[in-house]
Amino acid sequence: MDISVVIPLYNEEESLPELSAWIERVMEENHFSYEVIFVDDGSTDGSFHKIKKLSEKNPNIKAIRFSRNYGKSPALHTGFRAAQGDVVITMDADLQDSPDEIPELYRMITQDGYDLVSGWKKKRYDPLSKTIPTKLFNATARKVSGIKNLHDFNCGLKAYRKQVVKNIEVYGDMHRYIPYLAKNAGFGRIGEKEVKHQARKYGHTKFGLDRFVNGYLDLGTLWFQTKFGVKPMHIFGLLGSFMFLIGFLAVLTVIILKIVSVCSYGFNFYLTKSVYFYLSLAAMIMGLQFFLTGFIGELIIRNSAERNEYQIAERID
């Protein structure tokens, strides 16, 4: 099969017939063998009933329905597991992504050798309240991930080599960072294509401004997992040792001052009245806690069933 189109959706009943017909026309014009996998993320309207009707007319249409709303990342992960095409293309169901981009995205994967191609909606039909935070978010993501050539990490229109989607795990809200996940899995040939952004025709957006706050938190999580996820002692042990050393030196200084106070006339120093004594003890306790956190993290990693699972690019038996 040439192409799998994975489409996560939530309450997009009105746009589905037009989107399905548009994809079908593009596939037939380019003689692609394909499947369309709709992943209904617990819609409360008639979306899944509409998909059933569409699948009766087009056998290439498949669908998965969640019992409740889990989010875009679980929907994509489930669609990726089911995809059979050599190239997997994702797009949103709201008609803001154009299926006419599919042939060129397919070519960039199969002929130009990219592992992943991300869309870039250079001209957007969004209010400033959305575009400005998006620009700041993408600038931060480029800096942290090291993927300098992407302008829009969160564009729903992307194309992947099949091996990519089978070797990454999209969980939580990590769909924003799929290029970063792919890079960490060893798929570093990541490209970008400028795509057309269309104004929403039906319904309304399902995302609020809270996604930007959550996005930064997820980026911090992903960065930490990438740097220290396998070796937590490297960060917690270093912080713990540093804090404990500062606390120990501070306690030592306070004790010396007390000894001097006892041996000297006219110099009075009371341990229980000194704020530095309590700060030094707190630093030692915090240092010990950091160290133990790293140690426990190492024990968890050592007992993980996946501790020695690695992505193997090629094998000769």
Side-chain angles (χ1 to χ4, degrees):
M1 185 181 295
D2 295 326
I3 297 173
S4 292
V5 183
V6 176
I7 305 175
L9 64 106
Y10 179 69
N11 291 345
E12 299 288 356
E13 177 183 9
E14 295 174 302
S15 64
L16 292 175
E18 185 174 341
L19 177 62
S20 175
W22 195 350
I23 292 173
E24 183 178 0
R25 176 179 59 79
V26 170
M27 295 299 185
E28 290 180 353
E29 287 177 354
N30 292 273
H31 308 291
F32 290 133
S33 56
Y34 74 99
E35 63 179 357
V36 180
I37 303 174
F38 287 106
V39 184
D40 185 349
D41 186 23
S43 294
T44 56
D45 64 356
S47 293
F48 197 73
H49 177 73
K50 187 76 69 175
I51 294 170
K52 280 185 176 180
K53 294 293 184 181
L54 293 170
S55 66
E56 292 173 1
K57 299 177 182 178
N58 184 351
N60 296 307
I61 292 177
K62 304 174 182 179
I64 300 167
R65 183 171 69 90
F66 288 164
S67 59
R68 65 175 179 85
N69 181 246
Y70 286 97
K72 189 172 182 178
S73 290
L76 285 173
H77 180 76
T78 303
F80 287 164
R81 298 283 78 80
Q84 300 179 45
D86 294 332
V87 174
V88 179
I89 292 176
T90 60
M91 63 174 55
D92 294 334
D94 55 12
L95 295 174
Q96 290 187 287
D97 296 331
S98 171
D100 288 333
E101 307 283 357
I102 290 176
E104 180 60 15
L105 289 170
Y106 178 81
R107 188 198 65 79
M108 293 178 72
I109 296 293
T110 57
Q111 297 183 28
D112 292 349
Y114 287 107
D115 295 317
L116 185 156
V117 179
S118 182
W120 173 28
K121 297 172 182 176
K122 187 175 181 179
K123 183 178 180 181
R124 302 183 66 97
Y125 296 93
D126 292 324
L128 288 177
S129 60
K130 185 176 179 180
T131 56
I132 292 177
T134 296
K135 288 182 181 296
L136 293 173
F137 165 77
N138 283 305
T140 305
R142 283 194 296 272
K143 183 70 175 178
V144 173
S145 68
I147 305 174
K148 306 295 185 181
N149 62 321
L150 293 190
H151 291 83
D152 188 359
F153 277 72
N154 197 28
C155 179
L157 186 57
K158 288 183 174 68
Y160 312 80
R161 193 178 303 279
K162 182 180 181 179
Q163 291 83 347
V164 176
V165 302
K166 298 300 183 181
N167 286 282
I168 62 174
E169 182 182 1
V170 189
Y171 60 94
D173 284 324
M174 290 298 177
H175 60 273
R176 303 180 181 94
Y177 305 111
I178 288 181
Y180 196 5
L181 294 172
K183 179 186 175 184
N184 291 340
F187 300 100
R189 291 172 293 181
I190 298 173
E192 182 175 71
K193 181 186 183 300
E194 186 175 335
V195 297
K196 183 179 180 182
H197 182 223
Q198 303 183 133
R200 174 179 274 274
K201 192 171 181 179
Y202 304 104
H204 56 86
T205 181
K206 311 300 189 300
F207 301 102
L209 290 177
D210 59 327
R211 68 174 183 158
F212 295 107
V213 176
N214 295 335
Y216 279 108
L217 295 175
D218 289 336
L219 182 59
T221 300
L222 187 54
W223 175 84
F224 187 87
Q225 288 179 337
T226 302
K227 294 290 184 181
F228 306 109
V230 179
K231 300 177 180 178
M233 195 62 169
H234 284 196
I235 180 65
F236 288 110
L238 179 63
L239 285 173
S241 299
F242 181 70
M243 291 290 293
F244 187 86
L245 180 61
I246 290 177
F248 178 76
L249 292 175
V251 167
L252 191 61
T253 302
V254 170
I255 291 174
I256 292 173
L257 288 173
K258 181 60 179 178
I259 294 173
V260 172
S261 172
V262 172
C263 298
S264 301
Y265 178 75
F267 177 68
N268 296 316
F269 182 79
Y270 300 98
L271 283 176
T272 55
K273 293 183 179 180
S274 174
V275 67
Y276 300 108
F277 176 70
Y278 295 105
L279 288 175
S280 60
L281 287 180
M284 290 183 66
I285 293 171
M286 288 175 63
L288 185 61
Q289 288 179 330
F290 274 127
F291 190 87
L292 290 175
T293 299
F295 182 70
I296 292 170
E298 287 285 339
L299 291 178
I300 293 172
I301 293 296
R302 285 179 179 272
N303 288 281
S304 171
E306 300 177 354
R307 66 188 181 277
N308 281 321
E309 287 191 7
Y310 308 106
Q311 307 296 341
I312 299 174
E314 194 171 351
R315 185 193 299 270
I316 298 177
D317 294 320

